[in-house]
Amino acid sequence: MAEILFEGSAKLLLSVVYRPPHCGNLSEFFNTFRDLELLYSHTIILGDFNADLSTASFDAGQILNFVDGANMHLVPYTNTHHTRSSSTWLDLCIVDDPEKVVNSGQHDVSFLSSHDLIYIAYKIRVERTKIRNVWARDFRFFDHEKFSRDLLAKNWNEFYIANDVDSKVELFNSFLLECFDQHAPERLTRPRKLPAPWLSDEIKRRMRERDRARRLWRKHKCDRLYSLFRVLRNDVQTLVRNAKKEYYTNFFRNCRDPGTMWNSLRHLGIIKSRNSGCPLPCSLDELNLHFASAGDREEAPKPEQLHADDGAFDDSRFYWGIVTPEEIVSALSRARSQARGIDRLPSRLLRLALPCLLPEMLHIFESSFALNTFPTLWKRALVVPLPKCRAPESPQHFRPISLLCSISKVLEKIAARQITEYLESRDRLDPYQSAYRRGFSTQTALIRMLDDVRYAADRRMVTVSVFFDFIKAFDCVSHRLLINKLASLGLSSSVLSWFRSYLSDRSQAVKDTSGCNVSSFIEIGCGVPQGS
């Protein structure tokens, strides 16, 4: 017997048998094979049993009983051994499932032997998952009350008396990570199996009964116990098959969001992940340089060059408003991504600590607006390269997706909400803008365009449509023009200074899909991050 391994596939047990004529009992081989077959997804028996299956003999009956009892399949051949006076069926091929046999046949090789050559084409099932190393926090023994006590016991006075925003963010992250490392430490896990949301408590109970029957049969080697095990095994397979069918039917019937559907299919392993096993054609540093390269951009105006209001308060201009706790809770509760930025704090951990650290988050955001400074750590992005095609050969074949700090997105949402409310209240948005406006979408833009075309057609006018597709459009935005545009919309000098801090001194590093290797950080000038 031999164990055959294929990359990305289940293991195969191949048994090759030669039994001399009129020699020995086959039950010893069959018992050994039964013990081993339970450990494999694919099993094949090939060989010369010297038992003519075309006749009703004791040996032939023993083989047929084994095939039937083990729920296996005997590949049908004609007589395979030929002498001067007779032909017999001695060479056998037994497989675990007839549906896996794509093709079978036999050939005469009289120049070599009196036996025919038999063969099968066997279909190997490809495994959907590979063994991966995943670092994840262990919440099995997480006690929220103890975690909250330890977090509140930190020296937060040092946090409040810090002079700059970067120091406050650094202390905030270190205190929070220390508590999480103590109460929910990161551990290396190796997920091997796919998620099975269709497994019910009843199916799990029947699985335990099946495993118990299997242990008893292997211990006592009793035909009655083996028959019981076979019945339970087949019943469990039927239950699982029906449960999976019902789960997928309900899933596709009730799923309305395409993004959720595709993510769920990738999570279940039904389709491959977009970044699964894709080799990089170059080093991470080369990819990082390619992603960071952009068109020529003018430097954003310096603070002393901003003369929007000359420092004097003007009620018609926009100033940062008060940040409320409700805004922070609302923005954080809407966060769906669990990706980790450079601070190692996904939105899930922030939500767990929110009851204790809401005043500290509020203090950081107010300090950022008051000091016109966006924290430096929040301007560092980890870039994940996703292939645009099946076999990428150059850096141009990858799409950069930046992973930013989750807490920085909360501040960005609050800033965007305040500015949007100001522009809408003063009616300063472009009337032809459909993106990023409440009540507008691609549908309204299409309706407007069709209406213009019909209006022109009614008056026998010619309609010309021009479309532009810019490469790295956001990277090539002139920040001088952007700041001047914001100033013309009524934003004050202090707000423009905050935007200059937000846009400048950004850096990024590329990490591979496993997260084990990260390139060095490089400055990307005053460019905005490529992704979200």
Side-chain angles (χ1 to χ4, degrees):
M1 297 186 186
E3 177 183 277
I4 301 178
L5 301 176
F6 300 92
E7 183 178 359
S9 302
K11 296 184 294 184
L12 168 68
L13 176 63
L14 176 64
S15 301
V16 181
V17 179
Y18 174 71
R19 174 175 173 257
H22 313 294
C23 178
N25 197 322
L26 291 169
S27 59
E28 184 177 351
F29 164 75
F30 291 150
N31 290 334
T32 303
F33 183 82
R34 283 195 183 100
D35 291 339
L36 293 175
E37 70 164 333
L38 299 173
L39 305 176
Y40 296 87
S41 300
H42 310 285
T43 52
I44 300 176
I45 301 175
L46 289 169
D48 179 5
F49 283 79
N50 269 304
D52 185 10
L53 262 68
S54 61
T55 62
S57 63
F58 174 78
D59 290 341
Q62 196 174 17
I63 294 174
L64 293 176
N65 289 335
F66 162 74
V67 172
D68 181 65
N71 197 24
M72 298 190 72
H73 171 70
L74 177 66
V75 179
Y77 292 108
T78 59
N79 293 331
T80 60
H81 181 252
H82 310 281
T83 64
R84 179 182 302 178
S85 58
S86 65
S87 295
T88 52
W89 182 11
L90 304 182
D91 303 283
L92 309 180
C93 177
I94 305 172
V95 297
D96 56 340
D97 189 349
E99 294 183 356
K100 298 177 183 178
V101 180
V102 179
N103 190 19
S104 64
Q106 62 189 96
H107 293 295
D108 181 18
V109 285
S110 55
F111 65 91
L112 182 64
S113 170
S114 59
H115 291 264
D116 289 347
L117 175 67
I118 63 173
Y119 71 91
I120 62 169
Y122 191 81
K123 180 171 59 178
I124 297 292
R125 178 177 62 86
V126 177
E127 291 290 331
R128 294 190 182 123
T129 58
K130 296 181 180 180
I131 298 177
R132 299 180 300 141
N133 294 332
V134 178
W135 285 94
R137 292 196 176 273
D138 186 3
F139 283 91
R140 290 178 297 176
F141 308 105
F142 183 79
D143 190 328
H144 195 275
E145 293 185 0
K146 293 182 180 179
F147 169 79
S148 301
R149 287 198 300 268
D150 292 345
L151 189 58
L152 293 174
K154 296 293 183 180
N155 185 15
W156 289 104
N157 290 330
E158 183 181 359
F159 164 83
Y160 282 105
I161 64 176
N163 295 325
D164 57 279
V165 179
D166 289 338
S167 300
K168 296 178 185 295
V169 170
E170 182 180 355
L171 290 171
F172 178 88
N173 291 346
S174 62
F175 290 163
L176 190 54
L177 286 174
E178 286 176 6
C179 287
F180 274 118
D181 290 339
Q182 178 181 355
H183 294 273
E186 289 186 323
R187 300 188 186 278
L188 180 64
T189 60
R190 294 182 173 89
R192 295 172 178 264
K193 297 181 180 180
L194 293 171
W198 52 80
L199 287 183
S200 62
D201 293 337
E202 174 64 18
I203 295 178
K204 293 178 181 180
R205 183 184 67 80
R206 298 293 293 275
M207 285 180 170
R208 289 192 292 269
E209 293 180 0
R210 176 202 60 188
D211 296 341
R212 192 181 305 113
R214 175 177 174 269
R215 289 193 295 269
L216 290 175
W217 163 65
R218 294 194 63 181
K219 179 178 181 180
H220 299 286
K221 302 296 183 181
C222 174
D223 291 339
R224 181 182 62 83
L225 293 177
Y226 179 72
S227 299
L228 176 61
F229 162 66
R230 277 190 59 203
V231 171
L232 293 175
R233 180 189 62 185
N234 295 339
D235 290 346
V236 169
Q237 289 177 348
T238 302
L239 289 173
V240 171
R241 189 180 302 112
N242 293 336
K244 290 173 66 175
K245 179 180 179 181
E246 182 180 1
Y247 173 81
Y248 287 123
T249 301
N250 294 332
F251 172 78
F252 286 109
R253 182 186 296 120
N254 300 325
C255 187
R256 297 292 182 265
D257 180 20
T260 303
M261 182 184 70
W262 287 109
N263 289 334
S264 299
L265 292 177
R266 290 188 184 95
H267 182 63
L268 294 172
I270 298 176
I271 61 175
K272 289 185 177 181
S273 176
R274 289 174 295 181
N275 57 356
S276 59
C278 182
L280 296 177
C282 55
S283 66
L284 295 178
D285 288 327
E286 291 173 340
L287 262 182
N288 198 15
L289 287 173
H290 170 72
F291 291 153
S293 63
D296 295 334
R297 293 170 299 202
E298 300 177 2
E299 187 68 26
K302 294 181 172 54
E304 58 270 15
Q305 297 174 328
L306 299 175
H307 303 292
D309 51 24
D310 296 328
F313 180 80
D314 185 352
D315 188 49
S316 63
R317 292 194 170 275
F318 171 76
Y319 298 87
W320 294 122
I322 298 175
V323 181
T324 63
E326 291 77 16
E327 286 182 305
I328 298 177
V329 175
S330 176
L332 194 56
S333 63
R334 293 197 304 268
R336 294 292 177 263
S337 174
Q338 296 302 323
R340 299 195 312 175
I342 191 65
D343 61 350
R344 297 168 49 209
L345 291 172
S347 57
R348 179 192 178 189
L349 299 188
L350 294 175
R351 282 193 290 266
L352 282 175
L354 187 59
C356 300
L357 298 185
L358 184 56
E360 284 71 22
M361 290 186 188
L362 188 63
H363 180 73
I364 291 177
F365 296 163
E366 290 178 341
S367 299
S368 175
F369 287 154
L371 300 176
N372 304 322
T373 304
F374 194 81
T376 303
L377 182 66
W378 296 356
K379 293 188 286 187
R380 305 181 72 186
L382 291 177
V383 180
V384 178
L386 296 184
K388 300 179 183 178
C389 56
R390 182 170 299 178
E393 298 178 354
S394 65
Q396 289 80 5
H397 295 160
F398 288 88
R399 178 182 295 105
I401 300 297
S402 294
L403 305 181
L404 304 175
C405 299
S406 296
I407 190 172
S408 70
K409 299 178 185 179
V410 178
L411 179 57
E412 291 170 359
K413 290 178 180 178
I414 294 174
R417 184 196 61 79
Q418 292 190 14
I419 296 175
T420 301
E421 289 181 354
Y422 166 78
L423 295 177
E424 289 179 348
S425 64
R426 302 300 175 94
D427 195 20
R428 295 187 177 179
L429 290 175
D430 192 309
Y432 295 99
Q433 176 181 338
S434 293
Y436 314 111
R437 294 182 65 184
R438 187 181 297 110
F440 290 80
S441 64
T442 54
Q443 292 179 348
T444 58
L446 183 60
I447 292 173
R448 177 190 294 273
M449 186 188 71
L450 291 176
D451 186 65
D452 291 340
V453 172
R454 288 170 180 157
Y455 178 85
D458 292 339
R459 286 156 180 76
R460 297 182 180 180
M461 300 170 62
V462 177
T463 301
V464 178
S465 179
V466 181
F467 297 91
F468 294 96
D469 183 12
F470 294 101
I471 298 176
K472 294 187 176 182
F474 286 98
D475 296 341
C476 297
V477 171
S478 170
H479 294 139
R480 178 178 296 275
L481 294 178
L482 176 60
I483 294 295
N484 291 334
K485 179 70 173 180
L486 294 176
S488 65
L489 292 176
L491 273 64
S492 62
S493 293
S494 59
V495 175
L496 297 178
S497 297
W498 185 89
F499 268 103
R500 185 183 183 280
S501 173
Y502 174 81
L503 295 171
S504 61
D505 301 326
R506 287 191 171 267
S507 61
Q508 67 178 32
V510 175
K511 71 171 186 176
D512 57 13
T513 54
S514 65
C516 300
N517 302 315
V518 181
S519 70
S520 57
F521 277 88
I522 62 174
E523 297 292 332
I524 55 177
C526 54
V528 295
Q530 306 161 351
S532 58

